[in-house]
mmCIF file of all heavy atoms in Angstrom:
data_model
loop_
_atom_site.group_PDB
_atom_site.id
_atom_site.type_symbol
_atom_site.label_atom_id
_atom_site.label_comp_id
_atom_site.label_asym_id
_atom_site.label_seq_id
_atom_site.Cartn_x
_atom_site.Cartn_y
_atom_site.Cartn_z
ATOM 1 N N LYS Y 15 -10.721 -18.592 2.263
ATOM 2 C CA LYS Y 15 -12.048 -17.992 2.397
ATOM 3 C C LYS Y 15 -12.011 -16.557 1.873
ATOM 4 O O LYS Y 15 -11.123 -15.783 2.218
ATOM 5 C CB LYS Y 15 -12.482 -17.998 3.865
ATOM 6 C CG LYS Y 15 -13.851 -17.402 4.081
ATOM 7 C CD LYS Y 15 -14.226 -17.396 5.556
ATOM 8 C CE LYS Y 15 -15.569 -16.720 5.743
ATOM 9 N NZ LYS Y 15 -15.891 -16.532 7.151
ATOM 10 N N HIS Y 16 -12.985 -16.206 1.035
ATOM 11 C CA HIS Y 16 -13.055 -14.850 0.485
ATOM 12 C C HIS Y 16 -13.526 -13.898 1.575
ATOM 13 O O HIS Y 16 -14.626 -14.041 2.115
ATOM 14 C CB HIS Y 16 -14.015 -14.816 -0.707
ATOM 15 C CG HIS Y 16 -14.000 -13.512 -1.423
ATOM 16 N ND1 HIS Y 16 -14.956 -12.563 -1.208
ATOM 17 C CD2 HIS Y 16 -13.152 -13.007 -2.349
ATOM 18 C CE1 HIS Y 16 -14.705 -11.516 -1.980
ATOM 19 N NE2 HIS Y 16 -13.613 -11.771 -2.679
ATOM 20 N N LEU Y 17 -12.695 -12.903 1.914
ATOM 21 C CA LEU Y 17 -13.012 -11.976 2.997
ATOM 22 C C LEU Y 17 -13.570 -10.653 2.505
ATOM 23 O O LEU Y 17 -14.249 -9.957 3.247
ATOM 24 C CB LEU Y 17 -11.760 -11.726 3.837
ATOM 25 C CG LEU Y 17 -11.149 -12.949 4.507
ATOM 26 C CD1 LEU Y 17 -9.862 -12.580 5.215
ATOM 27 C CD2 LEU Y 17 -12.133 -13.583 5.472
ATOM 28 N N GLY Y 18 -13.257 -10.288 1.276
ATOM 29 C CA GLY Y 18 -13.759 -9.019 0.763
ATOM 30 C C GLY Y 18 -13.153 -8.686 -0.581
ATOM 31 O O GLY Y 18 -12.213 -9.331 -1.038
ATOM 32 N N SER Y 19 -13.717 -7.660 -1.215
ATOM 33 C CA SER Y 19 -13.175 -7.198 -2.489
ATOM 34 C C SER Y 19 -13.474 -5.718 -2.654
ATOM 35 O O SER Y 19 -14.377 -5.173 -2.013
ATOM 36 C CB SER Y 19 -13.756 -8.000 -3.649
ATOM 37 O OG SER Y 19 -15.146 -7.841 -3.699
ATOM 38 N N GLU Y 20 -12.706 -5.091 -3.500
ATOM 39 C CA GLU Y 20 -12.850 -3.666 -3.777
ATOM 40 C C GLU Y 20 -12.622 -3.452 -5.268
ATOM 41 O O GLU Y 20 -11.620 -3.907 -5.818
ATOM 42 C CB GLU Y 20 -11.832 -2.869 -2.953
ATOM 43 C CG GLU Y 20 -11.959 -1.382 -3.047
ATOM 44 C CD GLU Y 20 -13.182 -0.830 -2.334
ATOM 45 O OE1 GLU Y 20 -13.637 -1.435 -1.344
ATOM 46 O OE2 GLU Y 20 -13.691 0.208 -2.781
ATOM 47 N N THR Y 21 -13.546 -2.769 -5.928
ATOM 48 C CA THR Y 21 -13.404 -2.448 -7.343
ATOM 49 C C THR Y 21 -12.427 -1.282 -7.478
ATOM 50 O O THR Y 21 -12.511 -0.311 -6.730
ATOM 51 C CB THR Y 21 -14.762 -2.069 -7.958
ATOM 52 O OG1 THR Y 21 -15.657 -3.162 -7.762
ATOM 53 C CG2 THR Y 21 -14.633 -1.775 -9.433
ATOM 54 N N LEU Y 22 -11.506 -1.389 -8.428
ATOM 55 C CA LEU Y 22 -10.490 -0.366 -8.630
ATOM 56 C C LEU Y 22 -10.761 0.398 -9.917
ATOM 57 O O LEU Y 22 -11.179 -0.181 -10.916
ATOM 58 C CB LEU Y 22 -9.106 -1.013 -8.699
ATOM 59 C CG LEU Y 22 -8.703 -1.855 -7.492
ATOM 60 C CD1 LEU Y 22 -7.378 -2.536 -7.749
ATOM 61 C CD2 LEU Y 22 -8.638 -1.009 -6.237
ATOM 62 N N LYS Y 23 -10.494 1.697 -9.888
ATOM 63 C CA LYS Y 23 -10.673 2.528 -11.076
ATOM 64 C C LYS Y 23 -9.438 2.491 -11.969
ATOM 65 O O LYS Y 23 -9.518 2.771 -13.153
ATOM 66 C CB LYS Y 23 -10.969 3.974 -10.672
ATOM 67 C CG LYS Y 23 -12.271 4.121 -9.922
ATOM 68 C CD LYS Y 23 -12.485 5.536 -9.465
ATOM 69 C CE LYS Y 23 -13.756 5.639 -8.646
ATOM 70 N NZ LYS Y 23 -13.922 6.943 -8.026
ATOM 71 N N GLU Y 24 -8.287 2.177 -11.387
ATOM 72 C CA GLU Y 24 -7.041 2.161 -12.137
ATOM 73 C C GLU Y 24 -6.583 0.738 -12.416
ATOM 74 O O GLU Y 24 -7.020 -0.203 -11.775
ATOM 75 C CB GLU Y 24 -5.922 2.882 -11.356
ATOM 76 C CG GLU Y 24 -6.200 4.325 -11.066
ATOM 77 C CD GLU Y 24 -6.819 4.507 -9.696
ATOM 78 O OE1 GLU Y 24 -6.593 3.667 -8.820
ATOM 79 O OE2 GLU Y 24 -7.545 5.487 -9.517
ATOM 80 N N GLU Y 25 -5.643 0.619 -13.352
ATOM 81 C CA GLU Y 25 -5.038 -0.662 -13.672
ATOM 82 C C GLU Y 25 -3.746 -0.789 -12.863
ATOM 83 O O GLU Y 25 -2.810 -0.011 -13.047
ATOM 84 C CB GLU Y 25 -4.744 -0.732 -15.164
ATOM 85 C CG GLU Y 25 -4.300 -2.077 -15.632
ATOM 86 C CD GLU Y 25 -4.157 -2.116 -17.139
ATOM 87 O OE1 GLU Y 25 -4.605 -1.180 -17.818
ATOM 88 O OE2 GLU Y 25 -3.579 -3.096 -17.617
ATOM 89 N N VAL Y 26 -3.688 -1.752 -11.956
ATOM 90 C CA VAL Y 26 -2.553 -1.909 -11.048
ATOM 91 C C VAL Y 26 -1.330 -2.426 -11.813
ATOM 92 O O VAL Y 26 -1.418 -3.399 -12.551
ATOM 93 C CB VAL Y 26 -2.901 -2.878 -9.894
ATOM 94 C CG1 VAL Y 26 -1.696 -3.112 -9.005
ATOM 95 C CG2 VAL Y 26 -4.055 -2.324 -9.079
ATOM 96 N N SER Y 27 -0.196 -1.751 -11.630
ATOM 97 C CA SER Y 27 1.044 -2.166 -12.281
ATOM 98 C C SER Y 27 1.994 -2.841 -11.297
ATOM 99 O O SER Y 27 2.798 -3.678 -11.690
ATOM 100 C CB SER Y 27 1.728 -0.971 -12.940
ATOM 101 O OG SER Y 27 1.957 0.046 -11.988
ATOM 102 N N ASP Y 28 1.922 -2.476 -10.012
ATOM 103 C CA ASP Y 28 2.756 -3.115 -8.991
ATOM 104 C C ASP Y 28 2.112 -2.890 -7.632
ATOM 105 O O ASP Y 28 1.391 -1.911 -7.427
ATOM 106 C CB ASP Y 28 4.168 -2.527 -9.004
ATOM 107 C CG ASP Y 28 5.169 -3.380 -8.225
ATOM 108 O OD1 ASP Y 28 4.868 -4.573 -7.971
ATOM 109 O OD2 ASP Y 28 6.245 -2.873 -7.872
ATOM 110 N N MET Y 29 2.368 -3.825 -6.719
ATOM 111 C CA MET Y 29 1.863 -3.666 -5.357
ATOM 112 C C MET Y 29 2.831 -4.292 -4.378
ATOM 113 O O MET Y 29 3.634 -5.154 -4.740
ATOM 114 C CB MET Y 29 0.462 -4.266 -5.197
ATOM 115 C CG MET Y 29 0.408 -5.757 -5.252
ATOM 116 S SD MET Y 29 -1.184 -6.483 -4.786
ATOM 117 C CE MET Y 29 -2.375 -5.399 -5.420
ATOM 118 N N CYS Y 30 2.746 -3.835 -3.147
ATOM 119 C CA CYS Y 30 3.629 -4.306 -2.087
ATOM 120 C C CYS Y 30 2.817 -4.353 -0.797
ATOM 121 O O CYS Y 30 2.121 -3.394 -0.467
ATOM 122 C CB CYS Y 30 4.801 -3.337 -1.972
ATOM 123 S SG CYS Y 30 6.039 -3.782 -0.780
ATOM 124 N N VAL Y 31 2.887 -5.458 -0.073
ATOM 125 C CA VAL Y 31 2.202 -5.580 1.216
ATOM 126 C C VAL Y 31 3.233 -5.328 2.304
ATOM 127 O O VAL Y 31 4.268 -5.994 2.363
ATOM 128 C CB VAL Y 31 1.558 -6.972 1.384
ATOM 129 C CG1 VAL Y 31 0.931 -7.109 2.760
ATOM 130 C CG2 VAL Y 31 0.531 -7.213 0.300
ATOM 131 N N THR Y 32 2.965 -4.337 3.148
ATOM 132 C CA THR Y 32 3.875 -3.996 4.237
ATOM 133 C C THR Y 32 3.079 -3.833 5.515
ATOM 134 O O THR Y 32 2.228 -2.957 5.606
ATOM 135 C CB THR Y 32 4.630 -2.688 3.950
ATOM 136 O OG1 THR Y 32 3.694 -1.639 3.758
ATOM 137 C CG2 THR Y 32 5.503 -2.800 2.726
ATOM 138 N N GLY Y 33 3.344 -4.686 6.474
ATOM 139 C CA GLY Y 33 2.630 -4.598 7.740
ATOM 140 C C GLY Y 33 1.140 -4.752 7.537
ATOM 141 O O GLY Y 33 0.676 -5.773 7.042
ATOM 142 N N GLU Y 34 0.393 -3.713 7.863
ATOM 143 C CA GLU Y 34 -1.064 -3.747 7.749
ATOM 144 C C GLU Y 34 -1.574 -2.940 6.563
ATOM 145 O O GLU Y 34 -2.742 -2.571 6.524
ATOM 146 C CB GLU Y 34 -1.680 -3.228 9.045
ATOM 147 C CG GLU Y 34 -1.343 -4.093 10.235
ATOM 148 C CD GLU Y 34 -1.992 -3.604 11.516
ATOM 149 O OE1 GLU Y 34 -2.741 -2.609 11.475
ATOM 150 O OE2 GLU Y 34 -1.751 -4.222 12.550
ATOM 151 N N TYR Y 35 -0.713 -2.686 5.571
ATOM 152 C CA TYR Y 35 -1.101 -1.859 4.430
ATOM 153 C C TYR Y 35 -0.711 -2.513 3.106
ATOM 154 O O TYR Y 35 0.236 -3.282 3.034
ATOM 155 C CB TYR Y 35 -0.439 -0.481 4.514
ATOM 156 C CG TYR Y 35 -0.882 0.294 5.725
ATOM 157 C CD1 TYR Y 35 -0.117 0.302 6.887
ATOM 158 C CD2 TYR Y 35 -2.079 1.004 5.718
ATOM 159 C CE1 TYR Y 35 -0.531 0.997 8.009
ATOM 160 C CE2 TYR Y 35 -2.506 1.704 6.831
ATOM 161 C CZ TYR Y 35 -1.724 1.699 7.973
ATOM 162 O OH TYR Y 35 -2.150 2.378 9.076
ATOM 163 N N ILE Y 36 -1.464 -2.158 2.065
ATOM 164 C CA ILE Y 36 -1.142 -2.534 0.694
ATOM 165 C C ILE Y 36 -0.785 -1.238 -0.022
ATOM 166 O O ILE Y 36 -1.576 -0.292 -0.043
ATOM 167 C CB ILE Y 36 -2.345 -3.178 -0.022
ATOM 168 C CG1 ILE Y 36 -2.836 -4.403 0.732
ATOM 169 C CG2 ILE Y 36 -1.978 -3.540 -1.455
ATOM 170 C CD1 ILE Y 36 -4.155 -4.933 0.211
ATOM 171 N N VAL Y 37 0.410 -1.182 -0.597
ATOM 172 C CA VAL Y 37 0.850 -0.019 -1.364
ATOM 173 C C VAL Y 37 0.761 -0.413 -2.835
ATOM 174 O O VAL Y 37 1.344 -1.411 -3.245
ATOM 175 C CB VAL Y 37 2.290 0.392 -0.985
ATOM 176 C CG1 VAL Y 37 2.708 1.620 -1.749
ATOM 177 C CG2 VAL Y 37 2.401 0.625 0.518
ATOM 178 N N MET Y 38 0.018 0.361 -3.625
ATOM 179 C CA MET Y 38 -0.218 0.014 -5.023
ATOM 180 C C MET Y 38 0.112 1.180 -5.942
ATOM 181 O O MET Y 38 -0.133 2.337 -5.608
ATOM 182 C CB MET Y 38 -1.686 -0.364 -5.248
ATOM 183 C CG MET Y 38 -2.141 -1.547 -4.463
ATOM 184 S SD MET Y 38 -3.810 -2.123 -4.865
ATOM 185 C CE MET Y 38 -4.727 -0.627 -5.012
ATOM 186 N N GLY Y 39 0.661 0.836 -7.099
ATOM 187 C CA GLY Y 39 0.915 1.811 -8.145
ATOM 188 C C GLY Y 39 0.122 1.427 -9.376
ATOM 189 O O GLY Y 39 -0.091 0.245 -9.639
ATOM 190 N N SER Y 40 -0.309 2.421 -10.147
ATOM 191 C CA SER Y 40 -1.144 2.135 -11.314
ATOM 192 C C SER Y 40 -0.519 2.675 -12.594
ATOM 193 O O SER Y 40 0.354 3.556 -12.565
ATOM 194 C CB SER Y 40 -2.535 2.740 -11.131
ATOM 195 O OG SER Y 40 -2.480 4.146 -11.222
ATOM 196 N N LEU Y 41 -0.994 2.149 -13.711
ATOM 197 C CA LEU Y 41 -0.558 2.629 -15.016
ATOM 198 C C LEU Y 41 -1.084 4.036 -15.292
ATOM 199 O O LEU Y 41 -0.574 4.739 -16.158
ATOM 200 C CB LEU Y 41 -1.015 1.667 -16.119
ATOM 201 C CG LEU Y 41 -0.350 0.297 -16.104
ATOM 202 C CD1 LEU Y 41 -0.916 -0.584 -17.206
ATOM 203 C CD2 LEU Y 41 1.161 0.420 -16.234
ATOM 204 N N GLN Y 42 -2.088 4.471 -14.541
ATOM 205 C CA GLN Y 42 -2.613 5.822 -14.677
ATOM 206 C C GLN Y 42 -1.814 6.819 -13.830
ATOM 207 O O GLN Y 42 -2.115 8.006 -13.836
ATOM 208 C CB GLN Y 42 -4.094 5.861 -14.283
ATOM 209 C CG GLN Y 42 -5.012 5.183 -15.274
ATOM 210 C CD GLN Y 42 -4.933 3.663 -15.259
ATOM 211 O OE1 GLN Y 42 -4.501 3.057 -14.283
ATOM 212 N NE2 GLN Y 42 -5.316 3.035 -16.358
ATOM 213 N N GLY Y 43 -0.803 6.347 -13.094
ATOM 214 C CA GLY Y 43 0.086 7.230 -12.350
ATOM 215 C C GLY Y 43 -0.338 7.562 -10.940
ATOM 216 O O GLY Y 43 0.071 8.587 -10.399
ATOM 217 N N PHE Y 44 -1.126 6.710 -10.305
ATOM 218 C CA PHE Y 44 -1.555 6.975 -8.936
ATOM 219 C C PHE Y 44 -0.905 6.004 -7.962
ATOM 220 O O PHE Y 44 -0.833 4.803 -8.224
ATOM 221 C CB PHE Y 44 -3.083 6.869 -8.812
ATOM 222 C CG PHE Y 44 -3.803 7.987 -9.487
ATOM 223 C CD1 PHE Y 44 -4.367 7.815 -10.744
ATOM 224 C CD2 PHE Y 44 -3.915 9.224 -8.871
ATOM 225 C CE1 PHE Y 44 -5.024 8.841 -11.374
ATOM 226 C CE2 PHE Y 44 -4.582 10.261 -9.488
ATOM 227 C CZ PHE Y 44 -5.130 10.084 -10.747
ATOM 228 N N LEU Y 45 -0.452 6.531 -6.834
ATOM 229 C CA LEU Y 45 0.087 5.736 -5.737
ATOM 230 C C LEU Y 45 -0.991 5.683 -4.658
ATOM 231 O O LEU Y 45 -1.425 6.715 -4.152
ATOM 232 C CB LEU Y 45 1.362 6.384 -5.181
ATOM 233 C CG LEU Y 45 2.008 5.700 -3.980
ATOM 234 C CD1 LEU Y 45 2.580 4.348 -4.392
ATOM 235 C CD2 LEU Y 45 3.085 6.571 -3.386
ATOM 236 N N SER Y 46 -1.442 4.469 -4.323
ATOM 237 C CA SER Y 46 -2.520 4.291 -3.349
ATOM 238 C C SER Y 46 -2.038 3.450 -2.176
ATOM 239 O O SER Y 46 -1.268 2.509 -2.364
ATOM 240 C CB SER Y 46 -3.709 3.569 -3.994
ATOM 241 O OG SER Y 46 -4.153 4.259 -5.118
ATOM 242 N N ILE Y 47 -2.513 3.790 -0.995
ATOM 243 C CA ILE Y 47 -2.222 3.015 0.207
ATOM 244 C C ILE Y 47 -3.555 2.592 0.801
ATOM 245 O O ILE Y 47 -4.404 3.429 1.105
ATOM 246 C CB ILE Y 47 -1.401 3.841 1.220
ATOM 247 C CG1 ILE Y 47 -0.089 4.293 0.576
ATOM 248 C CG2 ILE Y 47 -1.137 3.024 2.480
ATOM 249 C CD1 ILE Y 47 0.712 5.247 1.419
ATOM 250 N N ARG Y 48 -3.735 1.274 0.941
ATOM 251 C CA ARG Y 48 -4.991 0.723 1.448
ATOM 252 C C ARG Y 48 -4.736 -0.095 2.707
ATOM 253 O O ARG Y 48 -3.683 -0.675 2.873
ATOM 254 C CB ARG Y 48 -5.644 -0.174 0.395
ATOM 255 C CG ARG Y 48 -6.128 0.581 -0.818
ATOM 256 C CD ARG Y 48 -6.780 -0.361 -1.819
ATOM 257 N NE ARG Y 48 -7.357 0.388 -2.912
ATOM 258 C CZ ARG Y 48 -8.597 0.860 -2.932
ATOM 259 N NH1 ARG Y 48 -9.397 0.617 -1.914
ATOM 260 N NH2 ARG Y 48 -9.044 1.553 -3.955
#
Side-chain angles (χ1 to χ4, degrees):
K15 180 181 177 188
H16 187 261
L17 300 176
S19 61
E20 186 71 29
T21 302
L22 303 175
K23 296 176 183 172
E24 299 94 26
E25 188 174 348
V26 176
S27 56
D28 195 18
M29 70 170 37
C30 183
V31 176
T32 58
E34 297 182 2
Y35 297 97
I36 302 170
V37 182
M38 299 187 318
S40 71
L41 292 178
Q42 289 73 21
F44 289 100
L45 177 68
S46 304
I47 301 173
R48 293 181 174 271

